[in-house]
Amino acid sequence: MKRCLFVVLLVAVAIGPAGCSKAPSGPQVSWVDLAGGLADFEHLARLDSPSCKIITSFDRTGGNDDFNNELRKGPKGWIVLADLKGPGYVSRFWSTTSDSRRPQIRFYFDGERTPRIDTTYDEFLGGTAPFQSPLAAYEPWAWYTFLPLPYKKRLVIMVTETSDRPGSVPKTYFQINYCPLKPGGLKESYPVSPSGEQLAAVESARQHLADFGTGHVAAPEGERVTQGLTVASGAVGALELPAGPRLLREIRIQPDFGKDCTAAARNLAMRNIILKIYWNGNNQPSVEVPLGDFFGSVWQQRRFQSAYFGCSNDTFYTRFPMPYEKGARIELVNLMPFPVSFTVDATAAPLASWDSNLGYFHSGWMKTGPGEVGRPHNVLQASGRGRYVGMMLSVASMDKSWWILEGDESIRVDNEPFPSWHGTGLEDYFNAGWYYGNVLIRPFHGVLFIAPFRT
């Protein structure tokens, strides 16, 4: 990470252990299943679903030249980005380049000599069906796709070479996420000619995700509990949820600061109202995060709609799946110097029985200040059985530059000596490139706020 003064404020979200039973082998999954999973959020709460790995172009020397670091050379004019052993599937492909020419890309499945996919970045990443927004796009200044690409035996990914000399321009950056599956766990590789059923499944998932940007999303199924709370300064208001086992599908919180509340006070409230969630009567909260940070309104209230959280009509919402076995309690701690009223409602569906492969939702808030210059910012440190789901990150540079975004994210799993996940820069992690450009909201990622030099 570059030496610059900075502050990092974020939400780290994880699913924690709910039991110790061994994950089942499960049935074979198909391309239809994988595509449908894009719009089925409940799989996030399962500890037995596949975990993701990554291959990137990060600088192996420890420097900042995170480009043109391919796996190996291919045929003349081509480089190999990845050579994956099956079964498994690619769950995300991200890339950007300084070359004005659009690279070509090829996918060789299961030892084929002829690429099953042979196209350009523009067509593969946001061009023709089924690779269309919001599953695939070019924005801002980078290409990405979330459309699953399953492979039973092997997958080789190549792109055209943009430079003859490593380290010279033009530069190609890439990130490839893939999920290994157990032997026999995949029904078929990416189809040569997708069937009508397969294309319909992809289009259904694509349209469902597109609906989040328009607000045309059906209310979640389950029992809805609503309660009005007026919380005095320094006090705590609470909502008790019905007894479990249940799956909490949505939480909505609408604060009412009163007509005399100033804009500055509203902004201050985003950090001075604390959201807490307790599972099964535990004394320690599993969620303890400032209200604004949890819902994406870091420095001020932001109106936006994404798949997992957002704010619409002055109401904050989250749709992260949160199963619980016995009970749940939502608290709001008011640290403002005046009382604040809230309307809180939650929708939870009953579960037939408790499944030990379901995980509990956890969320924390961490801050790094100028005193930690030159040290990595710790997003999450956890032990036991669990799943890291994602984060919301905000940064403010004290040296008035965007170099803060040059820090690479890394993840070490089970005491790895070297991180198996090593990224190429903070904006790349959020599917952007070249310091973003403009505010952008998509179902799984976005840039909510940009101002010199905060984002």
Side-chain angles (χ1 to χ4, degrees):
M1 181 171 285
K2 298 294 180 292
R3 288 188 60 82
C4 54
L5 299 178
F6 64 99
V7 177
V8 180
L9 312 168
L10 60 84
V11 175
V13 183
I15 298 294
C20 300
S21 64
K22 188 176 180 179
S25 58
Q28 285 187 327
V29 296
S30 65
W31 191 45
V32 169
D33 298 328
L34 295 174
L38 292 169
D40 177 16
F41 302 156
E42 294 181 12
H43 74 278
L44 289 178
R46 295 205 61 87
L47 301 178
D48 54 355
S49 56
S51 294
C52 178
K53 300 179 182 294
I54 197 169
I55 298 172
T56 78
S57 57
F58 79 91
D59 189 340
R60 272 63 173 173
T61 69
N64 194 41
D65 291 340
D66 296 321
F67 52 85
N68 298 352
N69 296 308
E70 68 273 5
L71 177 64
R72 63 175 184 264
K73 297 292 183 181
K76 185 177 180 179
W78 292 82
I79 56 175
V80 177
L81 304 187
D83 189 343
L84 305 172
K85 303 298 185 292
Y89 63 95
V90 171
S91 58
R92 169 181 172 263
F93 182 95
W94 171 93
S95 183
T96 189
T97 176
S98 63
D99 195 347
S100 59
R101 298 168 297 176
R102 297 318 200 209
Q104 292 178 273
I105 187 168
R106 290 175 175 174
F107 292 81
Y108 295 81
F109 289 84
D110 304 333
E112 295 172 333
R113 292 183 177 274
T114 301
R116 192 171 296 189
I117 300 175
D118 187 355
T119 185
T120 65
Y121 267 31
D122 282 340
E123 289 300 308
F124 174 63
L125 301 164
T128 57
F131 303 100
Q132 293 179 320
S133 180
L135 296 180
Y138 173 73
E139 58 184 19
W141 303 329
W143 291 271
Y144 68 87
T145 180
F146 295 119
L147 187 68
L149 299 173
Y151 50 95
K152 292 194 73 173
K153 298 178 182 179
R154 186 184 182 188
L155 177 59
V156 178
I157 305 173
M158 296 185 190
V159 299
T160 46
E161 193 169 19
T162 57
S163 177
D164 294 328
R165 294 180 293 110
S168 64
V169 293
K171 308 169 184 178
T172 295
Y173 303 75
F174 64 88
Q175 297 187 3
I176 302 170
N177 295 93
Y178 66 100
C179 300
L181 297 173
K182 293 182 178 181
L186 183 66
K187 184 177 180 181
E188 76 262 321
S189 295
Y190 181 83
V192 177
S193 299
S195 67
E197 177 192 6
Q198 292 170 328
L199 291 176
V202 172
E203 176 58 22
S204 176
R206 190 198 68 80
Q207 187 59 56
H208 184 69
L209 294 176
D211 287 344
F212 286 110
T214 63
H216 299 151
V217 180
E221 297 181 357
E223 180 181 349
R224 184 175 178 180
V225 180
T226 303
Q227 185 170 330
L229 302 171
T230 298
V231 185
S233 176
V236 179
L239 171 65
E240 294 283 352
L241 272 63
R246 288 179 180 266
L247 175 63
L248 180 56
R249 289 199 166 111
E250 185 179 62
I251 299 174
R252 302 181 70 87
I253 299 175
Q254 183 177 28
D256 183 356
F257 300 106
K259 63 180 181 179
D260 297 326
C261 184
T262 65
R266 289 173 180 267
N267 293 343
L268 189 63
M270 296 298 99
R271 184 61 49 78
N272 286 288
I273 295 172
I274 311 300
L275 172 67
K276 295 184 179 183
I277 302 178
Y278 299 79
W279 307 120
N280 300 337
N282 289 334
N283 293 325
Q284 295 296 321
S286 294
V287 173
E288 187 172 10
V289 180
L291 183 74
D293 292 81
F294 186 87
F295 291 103
S297 293
V298 178
W299 290 295
Q300 63 190 64
Q301 186 170 326
R302 310 296 296 179
R303 292 183 177 87
F304 70 97
Q305 298 181 83
S306 72
Y308 298 131
F309 56 90
C311 181
S312 178
N313 296 322
D314 291 327
T315 300
F316 298 104
Y317 71 84
T318 178
R319 299 190 187 96
F320 280 110
M322 304 182 190
Y324 60 91
E325 183 179 11
K326 297 177 182 178
R329 176 183 175 90
I330 301 172
E331 289 187 353
L332 291 166
V333 183
N334 182 17
L335 302 181
M336 296 297 288
F338 51 81
V340 179
S341 296
F342 303 90
T343 300
V344 183
D345 68 57
T347 301
L351 298 174
S353 61
W354 182 250
D355 185 343
S356 61
N357 282 305
L358 291 174
Y360 287 92
F361 182 88
H362 298 261
S363 182
W365 180 84
M366 279 70 77
K367 175 180 179 179
T368 300
E372 287 76 35
V373 168
R375 301 175 185 174
H377 173 75
N378 194 31
V379 174
L380 174 69
Q381 184 169 344
S383 60
R385 185 181 177 211
R387 174 180 301 280
Y388 167 73
V389 174
M391 69 172 167
M392 213 246 301
L393 174 73
S394 57
V395 296
S397 172
M398 304 295 287
D399 61 5
K400 298 182 179 179
S401 81
W402 289 116
W403 280 98
I404 180 61
L405 300 179
E406 290 298 313
D408 298 343
E409 84 284 356
S410 63
I411 301 176
R412 297 173 188 261
V413 180
D414 296 337
N415 300 314
E416 293 170 328
F418 187 82
S420 57
W421 182 302
H422 196 295
T424 56
L426 291 186
E427 70 267 42
D428 308 350
Y429 177 87
F430 296 97
N431 295 312
W434 311 105
Y435 301 154
Y436 302 110
N438 297 306
V439 171
L440 176 76
I441 305 300
R442 292 294 177 260
F444 300 137
H445 66 277
V447 183
L448 297 169
F449 182 92
I450 300 175
F453 286 91
R454 297 186 295 164
T455 188

